[in-house]
């Protein structure tokens, strides 16, 4: 069975325990970056990361962007969406298809 983890502030990620995900609270750039790399080394297939945490680790996330695993997926935190997750999906679609199929609202 593949492992799934989530990185972010404790308030945003605690609820994911009920879904059986491994949670990894991280509050500064060093913690977020180290956690991403540790989970990748421990063969996590999916790493969810809150938008706020993703802003602290753009380079670390970019390192794994072209790898099949782990899939790093940006999700909104407890404060609501900043639109970063949707932008990531849009950019991935552009790279894969060569056009923006997700039209702006």
């Amino acid at each position: 069975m593949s492992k799934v983890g989530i990185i972010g502030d404790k308030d945003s990620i605690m609820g994911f325990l009920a879904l059986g995900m491994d949670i990894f609270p991280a509050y500064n750039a060093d913690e977020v970056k180290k956690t991403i790399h540790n989970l990748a080394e421990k063969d996590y297939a999916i790493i969810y990361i809150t938008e706020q945490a993703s802003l602290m680790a753009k380079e670390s996330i970019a390192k794994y962007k072209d790898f099949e695993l782990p899939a790093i997926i940006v999700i909104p935190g407890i404060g609501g969406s900043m639109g970063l997750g949707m932008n990531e999906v849009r950019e991935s679609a552009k790279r894969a298809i060569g056009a923006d199929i997700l039209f702006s609202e």
Side-chain angles (χ1 to χ4, degrees):
M1 180 181 246
S2 298
K3 295 188 270 184
V4 179
I6 183 164
I7 303 168
D9 63 277
K10 191 173 182 178
D11 291 337
S12 294
I13 66 174
M14 280 302 291
F16 291 92
L17 272 175
L19 299 174
M21 293 183 192
D22 297 331
I23 65 166
F24 299 92
Y27 296 96
N28 62 53
D30 287 335
E31 289 177 341
V32 173
K33 292 174 187 176
K34 287 178 185 176
T35 304
I36 290 170
H37 296 303
N38 287 339
L39 296 183
E41 289 175 6
K42 292 180 181 176
D43 298 323
Y44 275 75
I46 301 172
I47 302 170
Y48 291 101
I49 184 167
T50 62
E51 290 175 325
Q52 202 66 11
S54 75
L55 292 174
M56 294 184 251
K58 289 181 181 181
E59 313 84 33
S60 297
I61 293 170
K63 176 181 177 180
Y64 298 103
K65 188 172 290 257
D66 293 326
F67 288 84
E68 186 174 326
L69 294 176
I72 301 177
I73 302 166
V74 180
I75 61 170
I78 199 164
S81 178
M82 298 186 315
L84 299 177
M86 187 55 154
N87 287 338
E88 289 293 322
V89 171
R90 178 174 278 113
E91 290 303 315
S92 294
K94 277 190 207 178
R95 277 198 324 270
I97 299 168
D100 185 359
I101 61 168
L102 303 171
F103 303 108
S104 298
E105 298 172 8

